[in-house]
Amino acid sequence: VQLVESGGGLVQAGGSLRLSCATSGFIFDDYAIGWFRQAPGKEREGVSCISFADGRTYYSDSVQGRFTISGDNAKNTVYLQMNSLKPEDTAVYYCAASLLLLNDPLDSRQYDYWGQGTQVTVSS
């Protein structure tokens, strides 16, 4: 099982980035894929999730209306389009896969496989 993030970088406040999470080694459609982030000195935070079982998407309050999660089943890839970026969005962003979401879809404890992360830095 492998998840590989890409698309991070340095952007000015108000700008946009699109993160990609390329997956392999499991049946993509059976899983939910989530995006999480962790800033220095802070706990890991759930950002967004897409469940391929029912097509639902979820967002944290902090990114609702600014970020959009989507998936490409043919490419086994999930994207996170991030618009109107703020300095407080600066963090390492991780994607993760969960076979069974029972409760809070943005609870990292429900995720089985993780990528290595990609840095997003938003300058003011």
Side-chain angles (χ1 to χ4, degrees), residues 33-121:
I33 304 294
W35 284 98
F36 297 81
R37 66 187 182 186
Q38 189 165 19
K42 295 188 176 181
E43 292 187 355
R44 187 168 294 186
E45 172 192 12
V47 173
S48 183
C49 167
I50 183 167
S51 171
F52 290 100
D54 57 14
R56 286 187 171 185
T57 58
Y58 305 87
Y59 299 94
S60 67
D61 290 344
S62 61
V63 307
Q64 178 75 49
R66 299 188 298 123
F67 291 11
T68 303
I69 192 170
S70 62
D72 185 333
N73 297 67
K75 296 182 178 180
N76 287 357
T77 299
V78 171
Y79 304 99
L80 186 67
Q81 178 66 43
M82 306 187 297
N83 298 329
S84 303
L85 283 161
K86 305 175 182 179
E88 51 263 45
D89 294 317
T90 295
V92 177
Y93 282 71
Y94 301 88
C95 65
S98 173
L99 182 57
L100 182 61
L101 290 180
L102 294 176
N103 298 305
D104 180 0
L106 299 183
D107 183 346
S108 63
R109 294 171 294 182
Q110 298 195 87
Y111 288 77
D112 308 295
Y113 305 105
W114 292 80
Q116 83 290 347
T118 186
Q119 177 71 46
V120 171
T121 303

